[in-house]
Amino acid sequence: MVLRLDDKWLWDSWYVHDDARWHAFFLQAPRSIEEPELRHWNVSQGHAVSDDLVNWTHLGTCFGPAERGAWDDYTTWTGSVVQGPDGHWHLFYTGTCHAEDGLIQRIGHATSDDLHGWKRVGDGLCLDISGDDYEQFRPGFWHDRAMRDPWVMRDPEGDGWLMYFTARASGVTEPNAGGAIGLATSPDLANWTLQPPVFRGGFGQLEVPQVFEHDGRWYCLFCTAAQHFSAAQAQATPGGPVSGSHYLIGEGPRGPWSVAPGPFLDGSLPCRRYASRILDTGEGLRIIGFVDRPEGEFVGEISDPDPVNVEPDGLLRVATGSMAE
């Protein structure tokens, strides 16, 4: 019942509901490359649809790197999809290029009328890092210049849009204390202004952020690996560092944000599920992500969703048993 392809590995995914059915978008790479870690450099984006998040129809590849010489000619990684006020769909995605060996990440923008055929807006480049708030590439200190995994949503405090993304804050001396959730704002989904990070510290990277409100409380889901905990965060985490998904708690969409207390929301070592998303089905919250290495070897398929309960104090808890049972 999981979303699995015989000829492709699948990993990071993002979802949108078009008032009729769910659309899943996901990173994919051919299994024929044999080494799973090479999947990041042999990537395209796939598309599938479902009525229930359990039974999926695969629609094929919907997006991929541009022609050689473009700013995104190497990879088109994780993103998000929103519908604009005119009914058009907007894909925001992570791009890298061969000329920079894939080490410098930027954010791109494409649009579609049918959620499958995507066309870049201009050359696609939407947003880049500038100023003193964000860390530029520091060879030997961190492995890349992080600006990826954009999560775009309407601004509940205004008329425009918010974009959150995986980043690193400047001025840190401990590599694993530099992870940040970046922010940009836009009045129209086309013109974006970079803002200071809304959260920094605790981890070397907070990947695949997803900000949402539920019952008046604000959450920012993220994932990270056990080796990317700062020394202070490792000591503060019950049971110690694990790989998986956890979340921040905020007073509003711009924060201030803090790491949720207690053990990781959805973590295990080895990691069963990574890059999770929490979806509101109308019948409760569900968590869904890709199956990583539960028994040591990379699996590369998207799990069936599991229920997420909200405790009286607002903390989240993954329940046992999936919707597929």
Side-chain angles (χ1 to χ4, degrees), residues 75-134:
T75 68
T76 47
W77 288 329
T78 309
S80 63
V81 170
V82 296
Q83 189 172 31
D86 60 357
H88 292 298
W89 296 95
H90 297 256
L91 166 67
F92 295 90
Y93 65 94
T94 309
T96 72
C97 64
H98 283 279
E100 297 167 335
D101 295 325
L103 296 173
I104 308 299
Q105 300 160 8
R106 299 176 178 88
I107 294 173
H109 181 200
T111 59
S112 174
D113 293 326
D114 62 4
L115 284 166
H116 189 78
W118 296 96
K119 182 179 180 180
R120 287 169 172 80
V121 177
D123 67 357
L125 183 59
C126 170
L127 187 64
D128 199 359
I129 284 177
S130 61
D132 299 327
D133 292 318
Y134 294 92

Side-chain angles (χ1 to χ4, degrees), residues 33-82:
I33 62 176
E34 297 185 354
E35 171 50 57
E37 290 308 305
L38 294 179
R39 71 187 189 276
H40 302 290
W41 312 107
N42 294 271
V43 65
S44 60
Q45 295 182 7
H47 180 202
V49 293
S50 174
D51 294 326
D52 56 9
L53 296 174
V54 174
N55 300 285
W56 292 94
T57 300
H58 181 230
L59 300 182
T61 299
C62 65
F63 196 67
E67 294 183 1
R68 199 64 177 256
W71 72 273
D72 57 350
D73 67 0
Y74 201 176
T75 68
T76 47
W77 288 329
T78 309
S80 63
V81 170
V82 296

Side-chain angles (χ1 to χ4, degrees), residues 162-207:
L162 303 176
M163 178 193 291
Y164 304 86
F165 55 91
T166 294
R168 285 182 53 82
S170 61
V172 298
T173 57
E174 180 190 353
N176 276 345
I181 301 292
L183 178 69
T185 56
S186 173
D188 55 9
L189 292 172
N191 301 285
W192 290 90
T193 301
L194 191 66
Q195 307 290 349
V198 295
F199 179 83
R200 54 184 291 168
F203 310 91
Q205 52 187 4
L206 296 90
E207 299 190 279

Side-chain angles (χ1 to χ4, degrees), residues 214-228:
H214 185 73
D215 287 343
R217 297 185 174 98
W218 284 91
Y219 302 91
C220 177
L221 190 69
F222 69 91
C223 57
T224 197
Q227 65 266 31
H228 291 148

Side-chain angles (χ1 to χ4, degrees), residues 233-300:
Q233 189 61 48
Q235 186 175 13
T237 301
V242 294
S243 297
S245 294
H246 200 46
Y247 60 102
L248 310 176
I249 299 174
E251 296 181 11
R254 290 169 172 80
W257 295 92
S258 59
V259 179
F264 250 42
L265 172 68
D266 191 37
S268 60
L269 190 63
C271 186
R272 181 178 75 88
R273 178 168 46 204
Y274 199 73
S276 295
R277 305 289 194 177
I278 290 180
L279 307 178
D280 190 342
T281 66
E283 299 179 351
L285 301 180
R286 302 290 186 264
I287 189 168
I288 186 170
F290 78 89
V291 183
D292 195 349
R293 298 176 182 271
E295 298 180 1
E297 293 187 6
F298 184 71
V299 175

